[in-house]
Amino acid sequence: MKRMLTALAVLTALALMVGATALPAHAAAAKPAYAQAILDAVNAERTAAGLPALAFGDDDLQAAADDRAEALAAMTLIAHSKAEWEAALDANDVFYNSSGENYTKDLSTIAAVKAAWMLVPEFKANVLNKDFTKAAISVDGDTGVMLFIDDTVEEEDDDAPPSFFSRFFFFFDFFGLFRTIRSFIRNFLASFIGIGRVIVY
């Protein structure tokens, strides 16, 4: 009996150790701490490269990540494309200037996820993309997905010099206004003096 209790205690301890490092199915949806851990791991790489950290996006971006995780989980051999993940972004009304997608079929540990992404040139480029600002992470079965976007809104430069066309149309409008005023004054004076209406072409 004593041996059975000892064995049970060892198994329980091992289970707790595995649970502390593993990323079980649907973990990101059930336990946001796992998604946060992946984001922290990605941000650690960005910080080391002198890049700003990513933040979680809004519910629309998360919905797009959920859709992508479900779609990729249904594939035996994953083959993703920019058109596919941007279609998910568009379907969920996500505003973005540029985007990227990382995925994994190895959810054993957070370290394994990060290591795999840093070995794939496309995924590493997403992790270290200086333009990306927001991210969303989703897990479906044994498949994990991270979407990256740049949602920066570019502000117009009020101090920028006017373009050639704006200058041209301004001159054209000003010249037309000048002719209208000149015509009005001349016609008014002509009628006031009584010498007849003067038409200016």
Side-chain angles (χ1 to χ4, degrees):
M1 184 66 178
K2 187 174 180 181
R3 289 183 178 179
M4 290 180 61
L5 290 175
T6 302
L8 182 60
V10 171
L11 290 175
T12 301
L14 288 174
L16 289 173
M17 291 174 62
V18 171
T21 57
L23 186 63
H26 302 286
K31 296 181 179 180
Y34 284 104
Q36 184 65 58
I38 292 178
L39 184 68
D40 290 344
V42 167
N43 280 336
E45 293 290 339
R46 293 177 64 86
T47 300
L51 300 173
L54 300 173
F56 280 121
D58 58 16
D59 292 342
D60 292 336
L61 182 57
Q62 185 59 52
D66 292 341
D67 290 346
R68 290 299 296 152
E70 182 179 0
L72 295 181
M75 299 180 185
T76 303
L77 295 175
I78 293 182
H80 74 155
S81 69
K82 184 177 182 179
E84 291 171 340
W85 76 68
E86 290 197 342
L89 293 171
D90 295 339
N92 287 281
D93 298 322
V94 177
F95 168 79
Y96 61 95
N97 299 306
S98 58
S99 65
E101 178 183 77
N102 286 10
Y103 67 83
T104 181
K105 284 284 189 179
D106 180 7
L107 299 175
S108 56
T109 65
I110 300 296
V113 173
K114 186 181 77 168
W117 286 352
M118 297 306 289
L119 288 175
V120 178
E122 175 192 349
F123 294 169
K124 181 178 180 179
N126 287 335
V127 170
L128 299 179
N129 188 309
K130 65 181 179 60
D131 295 325
F132 289 154
T133 54
K134 299 291 175 56
I137 299 162
S138 184
V139 171
D140 191 313
D142 63 350
T143 303
V145 169
M146 184 171 186
L147 287 179
F148 305 78
I149 63 167
D150 166 21
D151 66 347
T152 304
V153 177
E154 296 183 0
E155 297 182 358
E156 295 185 0
D157 186 0
D158 295 333
D159 297 328
S163 65
F164 168 78
F165 288 106
S166 64
R167 289 176 176 174
F168 174 78
F169 285 115
F170 174 78
F171 174 77
F172 181 81
D173 289 342
F174 179 78
F175 183 71
L177 177 63
F178 173 75
R179 288 194 60 186
T180 301
I181 294 174
R182 186 182 65 174
S183 176
F184 172 79
I185 293 174
R186 294 187 64 177
N187 287 327
F188 174 78
L189 291 175
S191 62
F192 180 77
I193 297 173
I195 61 176
R197 182 178 176 83
V198 179
I199 299 176
V200 179
Y201 295 97

